[in-house]
Amino acid sequence: MSTTILVVDDEVSLQPLMQQRFRRKIKAGDYTFRFALSGQQALAMLSNEPEIDVLLLDINMPDINGLTLLSQLPELVPNSRAVMVSAYGDLTNVRTAMNRGAFDFVMKPIDFHDLELTIDKTAQYVRQLRSSIHDKAVAELKARFFDNITHEFRTPLSLILAPVDHLLQNPRFDESTRRSLLTVRRNAYQLLTLINQLLDLAKLEANRLPVNELPGDIITFLEEMVNSFGVMADQKQLVLSFSCNVRQQEILFDADKWQKILSNLVSNAIKFTPANGKIEVTCMVGQQQLLLTVADTGIGIPAEHQSRIFDRFYQVDASNTRAYEGSGIGLALAYELTRRLGGQLSVESQSGKGTTFTVELPIQKVISTNRTKPALQPQPSLPPWEAVSVTTYEHDDLTQPLILLVEDNVELVTFIAESLMSQYRVLTAANGQQGLEIALRELPDIVVSDVMMPEMDGFQLAHALKANIETNHIAVILLTARTAVQHRQEGLREGADDYLTKPFDLTELQLRLRNLLRRQQKLQGYYQRQLNNPDEKATPLEAESAERLAGQDTFLKKLYEIIEAHLDESTFRAESLAEEVAMSVRTLTRKLSTLVGVSPARLIRTYRLNRSKELLKAGHGVSETAYLVGFEHPTNFATAFKEVYGQTPTYYVLNGV
Ligand code: ADP
């Protein structure tokens, strides 16, 4: 390894002396010397030839001294280091030099043996520095590349999977077409799994895969995971079983990682076990650890390969393995994930007899949280193979809800729009900015937005919608290409009501839309009842919905307060109310119709009539009450009252209220 050294010294005799003393090193190509006789000359050389590893700087020089030169190095050659050459005993200058970042110093007269050691030590440091800078840059580049590339893969995959799912729901196709479609679907999912695995591995390598633990019953979780492979096992005529030494155990765990580890092991077992074999998954809960074994009666792994199967891309015997699909990534990922969780993954196997993988994971038990379900629903990373559910939609919406789609991929947005058109009115926007403008103008019921977009991204859009009183009742669904939990959290923090990970299943989007709309309707029902009967209590479900649509309660309360303040003014109308909350009548009308399902005028009138009942109860006369609640004529009041309550105010009072 060659080291290039720049000697900066005004002493002319130093040059031949160095060349003489280090002639062997120079000849062997270990050292290459450059000489500068002044600081000025050194600066010129450094800007032309920055590949200097080590600088030898004399402190005392006429024009630019060594200390001044030293302070300019970080800018010129940030990844080189300087050794100061100083007059014997000049400790003040040496200290200054060290403070300015010199790596080391030698005293004059120079001890050449010491100098050689110092140069080598400095050069080694420089090399380490450069390689770590390089490694870091490469790791970052890689991580960024993977992030981008998965995004690029996921969008087209959405465009393959979504239409295929759509077609599969159509009963018109015959069996052979369906089989072809299923093949497309299966392979697209496989591609997706592979991309996800590569991404995870890259993240693990760059130390960017955080552990997200939540409490839950791990046993149910594992059992459901194993059961999700039932269809696959049946198809290969394999017996798949799960057993555990306890029936339930609440622990803190990262469901996503546990799932990936187990599903890799189980799918391998299924893959490498011929028909009529057996696969047993067992779990043993100890005090501080959980032992999970996946044992199969399959082809086994020859001893000489066992140490390498956890290596990336490694597959036992290429010719034999070709009979099996695969990439050799699954086990590497399972291994790294287990380590990330502080555990161990090991294998025992006998060729032709079978294989047992053992996962040992540390666990932290928690007091039961009364939760019967696992912390996260297991979502098989493998496709629900051939099981395709056919969902039919009732179509009883007369006033079709308005959906705004914000997505920059024209093909995708067209596709989604077309498939929603039969049930919804659909608007589209190509970026967040445009989406926001349309949302403000049209006040849709739900906004479905991509996250990564030019101009304004999905998070910013969600934030803008939720921060504006005119639009904060609109539900937002974010479509994110990234599965990372922090992205979901960011989305939810910005006020998104729901999110979907791309590539998403069209059915899922439709279900989510339907759920959100149902929630809105439920809430609308509650607000309507509350309007008609102010003492009305919310059911727990409504309370939860109301909480999710935080701010709406306050908004309605504010409206009621304003109406109350103008109760006896017969001229107080929808326009006045809108003006008080600084909205246009049109906006207020749209917002109230989504929220309560009534117009502003209706809201005011109902409020007036409710209050009139209270006033009548309190003993006010009918005419007086009519004026107090803002009716110009008692007759109008009586008519309105009868219309709503089925009896005249007089009758109401007579009947004993
Ligand atoms: P892939 O299954 O995609 O090839 P993996 O990393 O999951 O990659 O597995 C690496 C290799 O280890 C497999 O190709 C196979 O040769 C071997 N292997 C893994 N699990 C088993 C098993 N249960 N029985 C036999 N061989 C296995």
Side-chain angles (χ1 to χ4, degrees), residues 13 37 43 75 82 106 113 176 190 215 327 353 401 468 473 491 505 537 561-562 608 651:
S13 62
L37 286 170
L43 283 180
E75 222 170 278
V106 292
H113 178 64
S176 91
Q190 247 165 29
S327 56
K353 286 251 168 74
N468 187 336
H473 63 285
D505 184 87
K537 290 271 173 298
E561 273 166 23
I562 295 169
R608 289 187 196 281
Y651 197 81

Side-chain angles (χ1 to χ4, degrees), residues 91-146:
L91 281 179
T92 320
N93 274 334
V94 167
R95 200 173 297 126
T96 311
M98 297 308 279
N99 285 340
R100 288 191 191 173
F103 186 76
D104 206 343
F105 61 92
V106 292
M107 295 290 182
K108 274 182 176 175
I110 293 173
D111 169 347
F112 283 90
H113 178 64
D114 179 41
L115 179 61
E116 187 180 326
L117 290 178
T118 309
I119 289 175
D120 287 348
K121 193 175 68 182
T122 313
Q124 197 193 354
Y125 176 82
V126 165
R127 272 193 284 274
Q128 273 170 2
L129 180 73
R130 286 180 188 168
S131 96
S132 79
I133 290 172
H134 180 251
D135 288 355
K136 218 171 124 199
V138 169
E140 262 167 32
L141 201 71
K142 243 165 116 183
R144 195 144 24 98
F145 172 75
F146 270 110

Side-chain angles (χ1 to χ4, degrees), residues 509-558:
L509 175 65
Q510 275 165 334
L511 282 175
R512 303 259 177 132
L513 284 173
R514 213 166 52 159
N515 282 345
L516 276 177
L517 287 167
R518 274 223 185 109
R519 213 163 72 195
Q520 284 180 349
Q521 272 164 14
K522 282 241 166 63
L523 203 59
Q524 205 184 66
Y526 160 62
Y527 283 138
Q528 231 169 60
R529 279 185 288 124
Q530 196 193 40
L531 171 67
N532 294 324
N533 178 6
D535 297 327
E536 183 76 32
K537 290 271 173 298
T539 65
L541 196 81
E542 288 162 348
E544 194 221 273
S545 303
E547 200 178 292
R548 293 191 72 159
L549 277 172
Q552 306 317 319
D553 265 346
T554 336
F555 176 70
L556 282 177
K557 225 184 262 163
K558 191 169 154 198

Side-chain angles (χ1 to χ4, degrees), residues 264-265 268-269 271-273 296 298-301 309 311 314-317 321 325-332 349 355 357:
N264 266 309
L265 298 180
N268 271 345
K271 189 156 71 175
F272 295 105
T273 305
D296 65 52
I299 61 168
I301 304 165
I309 52 166
D311 290 352
Y314 191 80
Q315 296 177 310
V316 174
D317 190 33
T321 355
E325 296 176 337
S327 56
I329 287 176
L331 278 181
S349 183
T355 308
F357 282 96

